[in-house]
Amino acid sequence: MKNTHDGRSTTFAPMLAKCLCAGLAVILSQPLLAQTGYPAKPIRIVSPFATGGTNDYLARMMGRVLTDAWGRAVVIENRPGAGGNIGTEAVARSPGDGYTLLMGSVTTHAINPVLYAKLPFNAEHDFAPVSGVAATQIVLTVHPSVPARIARDLLGLAKSRPQQLQYGSAGSGSISHMATELLSYTSGMRFQHVPYKGEGQAALDVISGQIDFMFANIPSVFGMVRAGKLRAIAVGGTTRTPMMPAVPTVAESGVPGYEMTGWFGLFSPAGVPRDILVQLNTEINRGLQSPAIKDILAQQGADPLQGSVDQYAAFVRNELAKWAKVVAAAGLKVE
């Protein structure tokens, strides 16, 4: 019998917490506060997911960057619930003065806006993109008994067994779910979705043979792959990851055009003055260039997501358009 659950989860290796305190103390010298007088009081960064996950750690990392840059306190507030929508709404309703920020993601600003039938905020109009932070790799894994060495093999198996292959995810609308919907969209193959209350539970059922495959964040399954309990057959980004250099991308192993990363970045409520957005963007990008942060991210299969305010805004618009097509093609909708 197949186990069916529902929920979401994000995972980041505990090593990040250890490296954070040790590495960030030497990131930046303290520049003078900008002539605008900003910031004149503590800044709040809302993480719309629970403590201990990727979003939470990155929020704390960026909080330390801004504290080191300006000498002002940065408070991290976790507001989890409803797939990230509760914390996201709280920021959307905050004053547009630059003192409340959201650690957003592909979930909050590209997937949820087109997946949910109704949201109490508009992800495009109620927010101003500030800066990208990080893009994390995902990996496609199968049970060792599944006759698939690369993504093309899995698609061939799916073609011979139409809509019979089952895949697990961390819950409906999660990155692991949407990564497979993107695979369906780009390849034309369909699979059966089995949602769980987290990637860990789904991985256990792939290992036991209850389901056939899953996409997962690399840190959450790296040990299982190394132990031979799972086989990694492709990564979702446009380039291979140093954590799994022998594993090809989905695009180079049979699905041209496929690209899926779990990205994260900062947003402010709409109405924040342009000069404040630029100040925030400048300091975040300065921090992302530091060897300490680059090393921390690289150890987790992630890369800094750098660029100007306008480049980040264009990136978010493109991601939203991409996921609108995927969700519409799959007929997905959450009430």
Side-chain angles (χ1 to χ4, degrees):
M1 180 179 293
K2 307 294 188 297
N3 295 325
T4 303
H5 308 277
D6 197 15
R8 321 173 167 255
S9 174
T10 55
T11 306
F12 214 54
M15 185 183 301
L16 177 56
K18 298 177 181 178
C19 295
L20 192 56
C21 292
L24 293 183
V26 295
I27 289 177
L28 301 171
S29 60
Q30 298 240 353
L32 296 175
L33 296 181
Q35 292 181 356
T36 60
Y38 174 87
K41 61 181 182 179
I43 296 171
R44 177 176 62 134
I45 299 179
V46 174
S47 170
F49 295 97
T51 58
T54 308
N55 193 290
D56 172 61
Y57 278 122
L58 292 177
R60 295 178 190 280
M61 178 186 289
M62 293 302 100
R64 181 60 183 269
V65 165
L66 295 178
T67 295
D68 286 349
W70 290 325
R72 299 291 186 188
V74 177
V75 178
I76 309 302
E77 180 182 340
N78 294 90
R79 296 284 295 271
N85 291 329
I86 290 177
T88 304
E89 179 187 3
V91 175
R93 298 184 183 282
S94 298
D97 56 10
Y99 290 97
T100 299
L101 303 174
L102 175 77
M103 180 56 73
S105 66
V106 62
T107 299
T108 63
H109 278 75
I111 294 175
N112 286 357
V114 294
L115 181 64
Y116 282 78
K118 186 176 181 180
L119 289 174
F121 57 86
N122 186 300
E124 289 185 274
H125 300 144
D126 293 342
F127 291 90
V130 175
S131 176
V133 172
T136 59
Q137 278 272 30
I138 58 170
V139 61
L140 176 58
T141 62
V142 300
H143 186 274
S145 66
V146 174
R149 296 285 174 178
I150 59 174
R152 185 186 299 112
D153 297 338
L154 186 67
L155 296 177
L157 191 61
K159 187 175 182 178
S160 67
R161 297 163 53 186
Q163 299 190 43
Q164 293 182 30
L165 293 187
Q166 293 187 317
Y167 73 94
S169 79
S172 297
S174 65
I175 290 176
S176 49
H177 174 208
M178 301 309 296
T180 314
E181 291 296 344
L182 181 61
L183 183 63
S184 294
Y185 178 76
T186 52
S187 70
M189 296 293 106
R190 300 299 300 171
F191 313 97
Q192 291 188 29
H193 180 210
V194 184
Y196 291 78
K197 290 182 178 179
E199 287 184 348
Q201 293 183 7
L204 289 176
D205 270 10
V206 178
I207 290 172
S208 68
Q210 293 293 307
I211 55 177
D212 300 295
F213 71 95
M214 69 175 291
F215 277 97
N217 292 311
I218 291 179
S220 68
V221 295
F222 185 76
M224 303 174 198
V225 171
R226 188 165 53 182
K229 296 179 179 179
L230 292 173
R231 180 189 302 131
I233 65 173
V235 293
T238 57
T239 60
R240 300 189 184 196
T241 172
M243 291 188 72
M244 297 178 171
V247 180
T249 68
V250 174
E252 69 178 308
S253 57
V255 192
Y258 185 96
E259 179 183 357
M260 175 66 190
T261 55
W263 58 265
F264 301 83
L266 288 169
F267 295 82
S268 73
V272 173
R274 170 80 179 186
D275 61 339
I276 291 180
L277 296 179
V278 171
Q279 285 178 240
L280 285 162
N281 177 276
T282 298
E283 295 305 336
I284 293 299
N285 276 277
R286 194 197 306 274
L288 291 173
Q289 292 170 5
S290 73
I293 285 185
K294 285 184 176 180
D295 287 347
I296 292 171
L297 294 177
Q299 290 171 29
Q300 311 305 320
D303 295 299
L305 186 60
Q306 297 174 259
S308 68
V309 170
D310 292 336
Q311 288 171 329
Y312 181 49
F315 171 81
V316 173
R317 286 195 300 270
N318 290 338
E319 284 287 289
L320 183 61
K322 178 177 87 172
W323 288 109
K325 293 177 183 178
V326 174
V327 167
L332 302 175
K333 193 60 68 176
V334 176
E335 299 296 333

